[in-house]
Amino acid sequence: MALLPYSKCIFLYVIIFLFFTLSSMSQAELDAHYYDKTCPQAEKIISDTVLSASKFDPKVPARILRMFFHDCFIRGCDASILLDSTPKNLAEKDAPPNLSVHSFYVIDEAKTKLEKACPHTVSCADIISIAARDVVALSGGPSWSVLKGRKDGRVSKASETVNLPAPTLNVSQLIQSFAKRGLGVKDMVTLSGGHTLGFSHCSSFQARVHNFSLLHDIDPSLNTEFALDLKGKCPKLNTNPSAGHFLDSTSSVFDNDYYRQLLVGKGLFSSDQSLVGDQRTRWIVEAFAKDQGLFFTEFVASMLKLGNVGVSQNGEVRLNCKVVN
């Protein structure tokens, strides 16, 4: 067989080197088919668990979706929100912003089943990501192929939850917060649409209806009738810890009602209502309020983007989501 010229050998070597380099790079990235061979029943186990829990407790979908957001915003999507506190460390789940998340048991239950079916294979971080997709779809929203292959982190600090976007932030602060996670203005407005599901306690918004400022007792950006309703449910000296209000008028359905409510001054949080008062974001709110299909398309894209935040290949697959191995 004739030998190749030296220059062609070098060229062939470079091509082969690039092929294997790119192949290894692609393996390090998230993949929709990550568990196809190692645990093909993984998504069904998680979906069945989520469906069963949601039938038993209608609050589960909103809580799981919030869990995904709150996990990915702190240290990336590494399931650090699931770790229990220890005598020496207060974990994320016990910080004030996460005390109302609850429903951690749903992820734990799915993990227990997965450990029986495919031991030490499916990460807790991937379970949260798949469950978040499932609760959106169960609630009437879009579905998508979840990219998988995340590893679980080993650190969880309650003090770091101060970096979660607060319900009192203005648009500039929200844009800055999301930008730190590589998310743009449209991602921010789109993911805020997750507030179409769920309920909020008075503590997150009652400052808007009591002594709001020196000039106004009630936040002037609020619809007057809506504000009086909130004031009635959340009196100044509120003694009912369960008191609050739903995030939009169809709080158990994933739809674009959240955006329609913002346009008539019925955003529950000042951070939500601020999206209408700023030209950088109002046009997106208006577009989603008019076109639910557009919102769904953008929501899927932004969820996939958020799901890539801080993904590490250096973590572990926890055997129990509550504790490190």
Side-chain angles (χ1 to χ4, degrees), residues 59-76:
K59 296 176 183 175
V60 164
R63 289 170 170 174
I64 295 287
L65 185 56
R66 191 161 168 235
M67 187 190 300
F68 174 74
F69 288 155
H70 284 210
D71 181 49
C72 293
F73 258 78
I74 308 297
R75 294 183 171 270

Side-chain angles (χ1 to χ4, degrees), residues 36-84:
D36 281 7
K37 293 182 180 178
T38 56
C39 192
Q41 66 272 54
E43 291 207 34
K44 186 178 188 310
I45 290 172
I46 296 166
S47 299
D48 288 349
T49 305
V50 169
L51 176 60
S52 178
S54 299
K55 285 180 178 177
F56 179 75
D57 180 2
K59 296 176 183 175
V60 164
R63 289 170 170 174
I64 295 287
L65 185 56
R66 191 161 168 235
M67 187 190 300
F68 174 74
F69 288 155
H70 284 210
D71 181 49
C72 293
F73 258 78
I74 308 297
R75 294 183 171 270
C77 308
D78 67 347
S80 54
I81 195 172
L82 300 179
L83 288 171
D84 280 348

Side-chain angles (χ1 to χ4, degrees), residues 80-95 154-158 318 320-325:
S80 54
I81 195 172
L82 300 179
L83 288 171
D84 280 348
S85 295
T86 65
K88 293 183 179 179
N89 178 65
L90 191 67
E92 289 172 37
K93 66 163 60 168
D94 293 318
R154 299 177 59 85
V155 177
S156 182
K157 296 180 180 179
R318 282 183 224 143
N320 179 341
C321 291
K322 295 179 180 181
V323 294
V324 297
N325 293 342

Side-chain angles (χ1 to χ4, degrees), residues 109-173:
E109 189 178 322
K111 179 61 173 174
T112 299
K113 293 174 182 175
L114 286 164
E115 282 304 310
K116 288 180 181 176
C118 338
H120 206 187
T121 302
V122 183
S123 69
C124 301
D126 277 345
I127 298 174
I128 297 177
S129 298
I130 293 166
R133 183 273 315 275
D134 290 341
V135 297
V136 169
L138 275 174
S139 304
S143 186
W144 60 92
S145 293
V146 176
L147 302 179
K148 298 169 283 285
R150 297 166 188 79
K151 293 294 185 284
D152 299 323
R154 299 177 59 85
V155 177
S156 182
K157 296 180 180 179
S159 58
E160 293 183 350
T161 61
V162 297
N163 296 314
L164 290 169
T168 53
L169 297 188
N170 60 38
V171 169
S172 293
Q173 292 167 324

Side-chain angles (χ1 to χ4, degrees), residues 264-291:
V264 293
K266 295 184 178 181
L268 193 59
F269 302 144
S270 57
S271 58
D272 289 333
Q273 197 59 56
S274 71
L275 301 178
V276 175
D278 193 297
Q279 292 305 310
R280 291 171 292 180
T281 51
R282 183 183 176 96
W283 69 274
I284 307 172
V285 172
E286 290 175 338
F288 290 162
K290 288 178 184 175
D291 189 341

